[in-house]
C-alpha cells in the first residue's frame, strides 16, 4: 500500500516478521519470507468472477540479500467461485513494493496493474497480455523520482485516457498524463509540493502518504486529496488540490484540513448520499497534538463530509474509533441497505491484527455505528471490497499473513463476516 510510518517503537516490517509462518504464496525458501503490502480485486479474465492481485515484499531475515518485490495473481475458479488457483508471481523491481493500482490503461478492456516502488523512485506498469487472460507482460519501468508511496489510476484531464497519480514520501504529489499518441506510456511527471509550516518549524519533513482522486467541489472535474504526517506521528493533514477548469490537468491548492495525527489511506465517496463527495481516512494513530480526543488509544476512520451548500468546503472531521494501527479503509454497501459502509485493516495487536467494519446508521446518513472487529491472520495492511463467491454479497479481501486473505459476507446476516478469513 504505502510505507508504514509511526511514533510507535518499531517499523511495520519488524512488527510483522515474528508473526509470519514461512508458507503462503510458495515464495518462501530458507530465510526469505513474503510480506504483503497492498491488494486489489477485479475480474481479470472478464469471465464473471473476481480475481485478486497483491504486492509483496520479500524479506531476507539474515539481512544478507535484498530479494525483489513480487506481484501475485490469484485467479478465481469459475466453476466454484471463492476458490482460487495457486498464485502466479511476477517480479516488480529490485526493491519492495509500496503501492498497487488497477485500471484499463489502453482502453482495450484489460486490467492493467501499476506498482509503486518507494525505494527505487519508480513505477512498474504491468500490461495484461489480453483482456481475458489474467496474465501479464514484463513490467515497464516508469521513473518518477522521489519515493512513491501510493499510486492511483484515473483520467484527470478529461481526454479519455487514464493517467497516473502518486503520493510521494518526499512531500509532494505527482501526476503523469498518458501520451495520447502512444497508449500505455506517460509524460514527464508534474510535481506539486505539500508542506505543513508546523512540520517545517519542527525541522521535520512533510510526507505524502496516500492519494485519492474524485470531484471534491461539484464542478464535475476530478480533484486530488493527499494525506500526510510527520516522522513523529503528529501534524496530520489532508491536502486538497482542485482542478483548474480553464486548464484541464492542472491544479490549484485548496485549504488543508487538520487530521489529528497519523492519517494513512484516503478514499473519496458520497458517504451520506447527498450528491456531494466526502472523504474517509484510515487513522493509524492519533498524534500528540490530539489531546482533545478522548479515545487516544482507539483511532479508526476519520469521516469528513462535504458541505453541500458550499461545495469544496467540509464539515469538522469526525473520528470513529475502531482499533489502533489502521492502515487501510474501503467503502461499500456491506449490509445491503443501499448506504455505504466502511471496512478497515489494522496491524495491531502484533502478530494478529484486526479487520474492522463500520456500518452506516440508516437513521442518520453520514454517521456510523460502533465498530465490529474480526481477527486478522498476521497483520492486515490493506483491505478492499468485492463479491468473491458470486453470492451477491460484498466480501472483504486483505493483504495479510504472507499472502491475501478473504472474509466471506454471511448470507444469514448480511454485513457480518466469517470470523476467520480464508488464507489463499
Amino acid at each position: 500500500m504505502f510505507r508504514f510510518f509511526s511514533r510507535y517503537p518499531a517499523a511495520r516490517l519488524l512488527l510483522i516478521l515474528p508473526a509470519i509462518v514461512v508458507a503462503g504464496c510458495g515464495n518462501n525458501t530458507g530465510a526469505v519470507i513474503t510480506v504483503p503490502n497492498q491488494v486489489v480485486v477485479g475480474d481479470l479474465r472478464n469471465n464473471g468472477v473476481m480475481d485478486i492481485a497483491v504486492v509483496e515484499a520479500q524479506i531476507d531475515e539474515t539481512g544478507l540479500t535484498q530479494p525483489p518485490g513480487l506481484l501475485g495473481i490469484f485467479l478465481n475458479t469459475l466453476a466454484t467461485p471463492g476458490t482460487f488457483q495457486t498464485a502466479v508471481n511476477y517480479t516488480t523491481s529490485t526493491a519492495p513494493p509500496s503501492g498497487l493500482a488497477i485500471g484499463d490503461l489502453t482502453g482495450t478492456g484489460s486490467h492493467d496493474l501499476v506498482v509503486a516502488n518507494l525505494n527505487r523512485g519508480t513505477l512498474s506498469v504491468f500490461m495484461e497480455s489480453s483482456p481475458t487472460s489474467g496474465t501479464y507482460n514484463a513490467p515497464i519501468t516508469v521513473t518518477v523520482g522521489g519515493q512513491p508511496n501510493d499510486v492511483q489510476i484515473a483520467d484527470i484531464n478529461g481526454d479519455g485516457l487514464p493517467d497516473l497519480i502518486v503520493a510521494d514520501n518526499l512531500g509532494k504529489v505527482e501526476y503523469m498524463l498518458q501520451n495520447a499518441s502512444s497508449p500505455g506510456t506517460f509524460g514527464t511527471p508534474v510535481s506539486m509540493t505539500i508542506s505543513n509550516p508546523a512540520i517545517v518549524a519542527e525541522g521535520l519533513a512533510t510526507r505524502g502518504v496516500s492519494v485519492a482522486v474524485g470531484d471534491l467541489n461539484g464542478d464535475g472535474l476530478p480533484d486530488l486529496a493527499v494525506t500526510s504526517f510527520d516522522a513523529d506521528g503528529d501534524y496530520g493533514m489532508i491536502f486538497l488540490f482542485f482542478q483548474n477548469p480553464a486548464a484541464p490537468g492542472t491544479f490549484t491548492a485548496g485549504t488543508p484540513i487538520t487530521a489529528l495525527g497519523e492519517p494513512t489511506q484516503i478514499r473519496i465517496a458520497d458517504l451520506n448520499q447527498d450528491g456531494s463527495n466526502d472523504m474517509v481516512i484510515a487513522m493509524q494513530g492519533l498524534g500528540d497534538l490530539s489531546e482533545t480526543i478522548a479515545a487516544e488509544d482507539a483511532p479508526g476512520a476519520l469521516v469528513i463530509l462535504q458541505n453541500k451548500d458550499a461545495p469544496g468546503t467540509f464539515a469538522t472531521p469526525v473520528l470513529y474509533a475502531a482499533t489502533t494501527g489502521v492502515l487501510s479503509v474501503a467503502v461499500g454497501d456491506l449490509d445491503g441497505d443501499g448506504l455505504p459502509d466502511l471496512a478497515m485493516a489494522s496491524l495491531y495487536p502484533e502478530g494478529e491484527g484486526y479487520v474492522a467494519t463500520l456500518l452506516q446508521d440508516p437513521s442518520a446518513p453520514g454517521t456510523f455505528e460502533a465498530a465490529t472487529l474480526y481477527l486478522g491472520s498476521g497483520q492486515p495492511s490493506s483491505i478492499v471490497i468485492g463479491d468473491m463467491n458470486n453470492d451477491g454479497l460484498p466480501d472483504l479481501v486483505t493483504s495479510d499473513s504472507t499472502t491475501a486473505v478473504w472474509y466471506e459476507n454471511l448470507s444469514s446476516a448480511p454485513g457480518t463476516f466469517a470470523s476467520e478469513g480464508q488464507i489463499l
Side-chain angles (χ1 to χ4, degrees):
M1 177 175 58
F2 35 76
R3 193 176 179 184
F4 178 86
F5 303 110
S6 180
R7 56 195 169 92
Y8 299 109
R12 175 178 177 263
L13 294 184
L14 294 179
L15 284 170
I16 288 180
L17 293 185
I20 290 179
V21 177
V22 181
C25 298
N27 306 306
N28 300 310
T29 57
V32 177
I33 62 176
T34 55
V35 179
N37 286 333
Q38 176 86 325
V39 64
V40 298
V41 297
D43 183 0
L44 302 183
R45 293 172 294 173
N46 287 323
N47 64 351
V49 293
M50 299 291 282
D51 308 298
I52 298 171
V54 60
V55 286
E56 305 150 339
Q58 292 193 102
I59 308 298
D60 183 351
E61 291 183 291
T62 69
L64 299 177
T65 65
Q66 174 58 75
L70 296 175
L71 167 67
I73 304 297
F74 296 87
L75 296 178
N76 209 336
T77 304
L78 181 59
T80 55
T83 61
F84 294 84
Q85 301 174 24
T86 302
V88 175
N89 295 305
Y90 301 83
T91 298
T92 58
S93 81
T94 56
S98 55
L100 176 64
I102 185 170
D104 179 7
L105 292 176
T106 58
T108 60
S110 63
H111 306 82
D112 307 309
L113 298 166
V114 180
V115 180
N117 305 304
L118 181 139
N119 291 329
R120 288 292 178 268
T122 64
L123 305 176
S124 298
V125 179
F126 288 85
M127 308 296 290
E128 192 174 17
S129 58
S130 78
T132 59
S133 68
T135 63
Y136 290 85
N137 299 324
I140 300 167
T141 299
V142 175
T143 299
V144 295
Q147 296 178 347
N149 255 333
D150 188 27
V151 60
Q152 297 296 324
I153 299 172
D155 177 11
I156 59 174
N157 63 344
D159 64 356
L161 299 172
D163 310 304
L164 303 180
I165 307 95
V166 171
D168 192 288
N169 185 45
L170 299 184
K172 56 188 175 180
V173 59
E174 297 172 294
Y175 60 93
M176 287 141 283
L177 300 178
Q178 189 168 170
N179 295 321
S181 60
S182 181
T185 65
F186 300 86
T188 302
V190 177
S191 178
M192 298 181 294
T193 300
I194 58 173
S195 181
N196 185 334
I199 294 178
V200 174
E202 295 286 336
L204 300 171
T206 306
R207 291 162 159 164
V209 179
S210 175
V211 62
V213 183
D215 180 7
L216 291 172
N217 58 0
D219 64 358
L221 300 174
D223 308 305
L224 308 181
V226 187
T227 57
S228 175
F229 57 89
D230 70 2
D232 293 332
D234 294 320
Y235 300 107
M237 301 290 288
I238 296 103
F239 292 89
L240 305 180
F241 293 88
F242 294 106
Q243 187 157 176
N244 180 359
T250 66
F251 297 84
T252 58
T255 303
I257 299 173
T258 300
L260 304 178
E262 297 168 311
T264 50
Q265 192 171 56
I266 184 168
R267 292 288 182 248
I268 294 172
D270 182 3
L271 297 175
N272 58 356
Q273 303 291 276
D274 68 350
S276 298
N277 276 331
D278 312 301
M279 294 179 286
V280 58
I281 300 98
M283 294 298 293
Q284 176 183 305
L286 301 179
D288 293 336
L289 302 182
S290 59
E291 293 88 351
T292 58
I293 302 299
E296 165 66 20
D297 60 346
L302 195 68
V303 171
I304 307 176
L305 299 178
Q306 186 169 176
N307 295 318
K308 181 177 176 61
D309 296 330
T313 68
F314 295 84
T316 302
V318 176
L319 177 68
Y320 291 88
T323 180
T324 300
V326 175
L327 284 189
S328 178
V329 63
V331 182
D333 180 8
L334 299 178
D335 58 358
D337 65 356
L339 298 173
D341 307 304
L342 307 179
M344 292 170 283
S346 168
L347 292 171
Y348 296 100
E350 183 175 343
E352 198 168 62
Y354 283 115
V355 168
T357 59
L358 288 169
L359 299 181
Q360 188 161 173
D361 182 352
S363 67
T367 67
F368 296 84
E369 299 171 351
T372 300
L373 301 181
Y374 303 88
L375 288 177
S377 298
Q379 283 179 285
S381 59
S382 170
I383 192 165
V384 292
I385 297 172
D387 182 1
M388 308 313 296
N389 57 355
N390 274 16
D391 65 353
L393 297 174
D395 307 305
L396 307 177
V397 181
T398 63
S399 53
D400 192 6
S401 183
T402 60
T403 178
V405 179
W406 81 277
Y407 294 77
E408 182 181 0
N409 197 336
L410 301 179
S411 59
S412 58
T416 62
F417 295 84
S419 58
E420 293 185 5
Q422 176 185 332
I423 300 175
L424 303 185

Coordinates of all heavy atoms in Angstrom, one line a residue, residues 310-363:
A310 N -22.0 24.6 0.2 CA -20.7 25.4 0.0 C -19.7 24.4 -0.6 O -18.8 24.0 0.1 CB -20.2 26.0 1.2
P311 N -19.9 24.0 -1.9 CA -19.0 23.0 -2.5 C -17.5 23.3 -2.3 O -17.1 24.5 -2.5 CB -19.4 23.0 -3.9 CG -20.9 23.5 -3.9 CD -20.9 24.5 -2.8
G312 N -16.8 22.3 -2.0 CA -15.3 22.5 -1.8 C -14.9 22.8 -0.4 O -13.7 23.0 -0.1
T313 N -15.9 23.0 0.5 CA -15.7 23.1 1.9 C -16.2 21.9 2.7 O -17.1 21.2 2.2 CB -16.3 24.4 2.5 OG1 -17.7 24.3 2.4 CG2 -15.9 25.6 1.6
F314 N -15.7 21.7 3.9 CA -16.0 20.5 4.6 C -16.3 20.7 6.0 O -15.8 21.7 6.7 CB -14.8 19.5 4.4 CG -14.6 19.1 3.0 CD1 -13.8 19.9 2.2 CD2 -15.2 18.0 2.5 CE1 -13.6 19.6 0.8 CE2 -15.0 17.6 1.1 CZ -14.2 18.4 0.3
A315 N -17.2 19.8 6.6 CA -17.5 19.9 8.0 C -16.4 19.5 8.8 O -15.4 18.9 8.3 CB -18.8 19.0 8.2
T316 N -16.5 19.7 10.1 CA -15.5 19.3 11.1 C -15.3 17.7 11.0 O -16.3 17.0 11.0 CB -15.8 19.6 12.5 OG1 -16.0 21.1 12.6 CG2 -14.8 19.2 13.5
P317 N -14.1 17.3 10.9 CA -13.8 15.8 10.8 C -14.4 15.1 12.0 O -14.3 15.6 13.2 CB -12.3 15.7 10.7 CG -11.8 17.0 10.2 CD -12.8 18.0 10.7
V318 N -14.9 13.9 11.8 CA -15.5 13.1 12.9 C -14.7 11.8 12.9 O -14.6 11.1 11.9 CB -17.0 12.8 12.7 CG1 -17.5 11.9 13.8 CG2 -17.8 14.1 12.7
L319 N -14.2 11.5 14.1 CA -13.4 10.2 14.3 C -14.3 9.1 14.8 O -15.0 9.3 15.8 CB -12.3 10.4 15.3 CG -11.4 9.2 15.6 CD1 -10.6 8.8 14.4 CD2 -10.5 9.5 16.8
Y320 N -14.3 8.0 14.1 CA -15.0 6.8 14.6 C -14.0 5.8 15.0 O -13.2 5.3 14.3 CB -15.9 6.2 13.4 CG -17.0 7.1 13.1 CD1 -16.9 8.1 12.2 CD2 -18.2 6.9 13.7 CE1 -18.0 9.0 11.9 CE2 -19.3 7.8 13.4 CZ -19.2 8.8 12.5 OH -20.2 9.6 12.2
A321 N -14.0 5.5 16.3 CA -13.0 4.6 16.9 C -13.2 3.2 16.5 O -14.3 2.7 16.3 CB -13.1 4.7 18.4
A322 N -12.1 2.5 16.3 CA -12.1 1.1 15.9 C -11.0 0.3 16.6 O -11.2 -0.4 17.6 CB -12.0 0.9 14.4
T323 N -9.8 0.6 16.2 CA -8.6 -0.1 16.8 C -7.4 0.7 16.4 O -7.4 1.4 15.4 CB -8.5 -1.6 16.4 OG1 -7.4 -2.2 17.0 CG2 -8.4 -1.7 14.9
T324 N -6.3 0.5 17.1 CA -5.0 1.2 16.7 C -4.4 0.5 15.5 O -4.5 -0.6 15.2 CB -4.1 1.1 17.9 OG1 -4.7 1.7 19.1 CG2 -2.7 1.8 17.6
G325 N -3.6 1.3 14.8 CA -2.8 0.8 13.7 C -3.6 0.6 12.4 O -3.2 -0.2 11.5
V326 N -4.7 1.4 12.2 CA -5.4 1.2 10.9 C -4.7 1.9 9.8 O -4.4 3.0 9.8 CB -6.8 1.9 11.1 CG1 -7.6 1.9 9.7 CG2 -7.6 1.2 12.2
L327 N -4.4 1.0 8.8 CA -3.6 1.5 7.6 C -4.5 1.7 6.4 O -4.1 2.4 5.5 CB -2.5 0.5 7.3 CG -1.3 0.4 8.1 CD1 -0.2 -0.5 7.5 CD2 -0.7 1.8 8.3
S328 N -5.6 1.0 6.3 CA -6.3 1.0 5.0 C -7.8 1.0 5.3 O -8.3 0.5 6.3 CB -6.0 -0.3 4.3 OG -6.7 -0.4 3.1
V329 N -8.6 1.7 4.4 CA -10.0 1.8 4.5 C -10.6 1.5 3.1 O -10.1 1.9 2.1 CB -10.5 3.1 5.1 CG1 -10.1 4.3 4.2 CG2 -12.0 3.1 5.4
A330 N -11.8 0.9 3.1 CA -12.5 0.6 1.9 C -14.0 1.0 2.1 O -14.5 1.0 3.2 CB -12.5 -0.8 1.5
V331 N -14.7 1.4 1.0 CA -16.1 1.9 1.1 C -17.0 1.1 0.2 O -16.6 0.8 -0.9 CB -16.2 3.4 0.7 CG1 -17.6 3.9 0.8 CG2 -15.2 4.3 1.4
G332 N -18.1 0.6 0.8 CA -19.0 -0.2 0.0 C -20.2 -0.5 0.9 O -20.2 -0.5 2.1
D333 N -21.3 -0.9 0.3 CA -22.6 -1.3 1.0 C -22.4 -2.7 1.4 O -22.6 -3.7 0.7 CB -23.8 -1.1 0.1 CG -25.1 -1.5 0.8 OD1 -25.1 -1.7 2.0 OD2 -26.1 -1.5 0.1
L334 N -22.1 -2.9 2.7 CA -21.8 -4.3 3.2 C -23.0 -5.0 3.6 O -23.0 -6.2 3.7 CB -20.8 -4.2 4.4 CG -19.4 -3.5 4.1 CD1 -18.6 -3.5 5.3 CD2 -18.7 -4.3 3.0
D335 N -24.1 -4.3 4.0 CA -25.3 -5.0 4.6 C -26.5 -4.9 3.7 O -27.6 -5.3 4.1 CB -25.6 -4.5 6.0 CG -25.8 -3.0 6.0 OD1 -25.7 -2.3 5.0 OD2 -26.1 -2.4 7.1
G336 N -26.4 -4.3 2.5 CA -27.5 -4.3 1.5 C -28.6 -3.3 1.8 O -29.7 -3.4 1.3
D337 N -28.3 -2.2 2.6 CA -29.3 -1.2 2.9 C -29.2 0.0 1.9 O -30.0 0.9 2.1 CB -29.3 -0.8 4.3 CG -28.0 -0.1 4.7 OD1 -27.1 0.0 3.8 OD2 -27.9 0.4 5.8
G338 N -28.3 -0.1 1.0 CA -28.2 1.0 0.0 C -27.3 2.1 0.5 O -27.1 3.1 -0.3
L339 N -26.7 2.0 1.6 CA -25.8 3.0 2.2 C -24.4 2.6 2.2 O -24.1 1.4 2.6 CB -26.3 3.5 3.6 CG -27.7 4.1 3.7 CD1 -28.1 4.3 5.1 CD2 -27.8 5.4 2.9
P340 N -23.4 3.4 1.9 CA -22.0 3.0 2.0 C -21.6 2.7 3.4 O -21.9 3.5 4.3 CB -21.3 4.2 1.4 CG -22.3 5.0 0.7 CD -23.6 4.8 1.4
D341 N -20.9 1.6 3.6 CA -20.3 1.3 4.9 C -18.8 1.3 4.8 O -18.2 1.6 3.7 CB -20.8 -0.1 5.3 CG -22.3 -0.2 5.4 OD1 -22.9 0.6 6.0 OD2 -22.8 -1.1 4.7
L342 N -18.1 1.1 5.9 CA -16.6 1.2 5.9 C -16.0 -0.1 6.4 O -16.5 -0.7 7.3 CB -16.1 2.4 6.8 CG -16.7 3.7 6.5 CD1 -16.2 4.7 7.5 CD2 -16.5 4.2 5.1
A343 N -14.9 -0.5 5.8 CA -14.1 -1.6 6.3 C -12.7 -1.2 6.4 O -12.2 -0.4 5.6 CB -14.2 -2.8 5.3
M344 N -12.0 -1.7 7.5 CA -10.6 -1.2 7.7 C -9.7 -2.4 8.1 O -10.2 -3.4 8.5 CB -10.6 -0.2 8.9 CG -11.3 1.1 8.7 SD -11.5 2.0 10.2 CE -12.9 1.2 10.9
A345 N -8.4 -2.2 7.8 CA -7.4 -3.2 8.1 C -6.4 -2.6 9.1 O -6.0 -1.5 8.9 CB -6.6 -3.6 6.9
S346 N -6.2 -3.3 10.2 CA -5.3 -2.8 11.3 C -4.2 -3.8 11.6 O -4.4 -5.0 11.7 CB -6.1 -2.6 12.6 OG -5.3 -2.4 13.7
L347 N -3.0 -3.2 11.8 CA -1.8 -4.1 12.1 C -1.8 -4.6 13.5 O -1.2 -5.7 13.8 CB -0.5 -3.2 12.0 CG -0.1 -2.7 10.6 CD1 1.0 -1.8 10.7 CD2 0.3 -3.9 9.7
Y348 N -2.5 -4.0 14.4 CA -2.4 -4.3 15.8 C -3.6 -5.2 16.3 O -4.7 -5.0 15.7 CB -2.3 -3.1 16.7 CG -1.0 -2.3 16.4 CD1 -1.1 -1.2 15.6 CD2 0.2 -2.7 16.9 CE1 0.1 -0.4 15.3 CE2 1.4 -2.0 16.6 CZ 1.3 -0.9 15.8 OH 2.4 -0.1 15.5
P349 N -3.4 -6.1 17.3 CA -2.2 -6.3 18.0 C -1.2 -7.1 17.2 O -1.5 -7.8 16.3 CB -2.7 -7.2 19.2 CG -3.9 -7.9 18.7 CD -4.5 -6.9 17.7
E350 N 0.1 -6.9 17.7 CA 1.2 -7.6 17.0 C 1.0 -9.1 16.8 O 0.6 -9.8 17.8 CB 2.5 -7.3 17.8 CG 3.7 -7.8 17.1 CD 5.0 -7.5 17.8 OE1 4.9 -6.6 18.6 OE2 6.0 -8.1 17.5
G351 N 1.2 -9.6 15.6 CA 1.1 -11.0 15.3 C -0.3 -11.4 15.0 O -0.5 -12.6 14.7
E352 N -1.2 -10.5 15.0 CA -2.6 -10.9 14.7 C -3.3 -9.8 13.9 O -3.7 -10.1 12.8 CB -3.3 -11.1 16.1 CG -4.6 -11.9 16.0 CD -5.0 -12.3 17.4 OE1 -5.3 -11.4 18.2 OE2 -5.1 -13.5 17.7
G353 N -3.5 -8.7 14.5 CA -4.2 -7.6 13.7 C -5.7 -7.8 13.7 O -6.2 -8.8 14.1
Y354 N -6.4 -6.8 13.1 CA -7.8 -6.9 13.1 C -8.3 -6.4 11.7 O -7.7 -5.6 11.0 CB -8.5 -5.9 14.1 CG -8.5 -6.5 15.5 CD1 -7.8 -5.9 16.5 CD2 -9.3 -7.6 15.8 CE1 -7.8 -6.3 17.8 CE2 -9.3 -8.1 17.1 CZ -8.6 -7.5 18.1 OH -8.6 -7.9 19.4
V355 N -9.5 -6.9 11.3 CA -10.3 -6.3 10.3 C -11.5 -5.7 11.0 O -12.1 -6.3 11.9 CB -10.8 -7.3 9.3 CG1 -11.9 -6.8 8.4 CG2 -9.6 -7.8 8.4
A356 N -11.9 -4.4 10.7 CA -13.0 -3.7 11.4 C -14.0 -3.3 10.4 O -13.6 -2.8 9.3 CB -12.4 -2.6 12.2
T357 N -15.3 -3.3 10.7 CA -16.3 -2.8 9.9 C -17.1 -1.7 10.7 O -17.3 -1.9 11.9 CB -17.3 -3.9 9.4 OG1 -17.9 -4.5 10.5 CG2 -16.5 -4.9 8.5
L358 N -17.5 -0.7 9.9 CA -18.4 0.3 10.5 C -19.6 0.4 9.6 O -19.5 0.9 8.4 CB -17.7 1.7 10.5 CG -16.6 1.9 11.6 CD1 -15.8 3.2 11.3 CD2 -17.1 1.9 13.0
L359 N -20.8 0.0 10.0 CA -22.0 0.1 9.2 C -22.6 1.4 9.4 O -22.6 2.0 10.5 CB -23.0 -1.0 9.6 CG -22.5 -2.5 9.5 CD1 -23.5 -3.5 9.9 CD2 -22.0 -2.8 8.1
Q360 N -23.1 2.0 8.3 CA -23.7 3.3 8.4 C -25.1 3.2 9.1 O -25.8 2.2 9.0 CB -23.9 3.9 7.0 CG -24.4 5.3 7.0 CD -24.2 6.1 5.8 OE1 -24.7 7.2 5.7 NE2 -23.5 5.5 4.8
D361 N -25.4 4.2 9.9 CA -26.6 4.3 10.6 C -27.7 4.8 9.7 O -27.6 6.0 9.3 CB -26.5 5.3 11.8 CG -27.7 5.4 12.7 OD1 -28.8 4.9 12.3 OD2 -27.6 6.1 13.7
P362 N -28.7 4.0 9.3 CA -29.6 4.4 8.3 C -30.5 5.6 8.8 O -31.1 6.3 8.0 CB -30.5 3.2 8.1 CG -30.3 2.3 9.3 CD -28.9 2.6 9.7
S363 N -30.6 5.8 10.1 CA -31.4 6.9 10.6 C -30.7 8.2 10.6 O -31.3 9.3 10.8 CB -31.9 6.6 12.0 OG -30.8 6.5 12.9

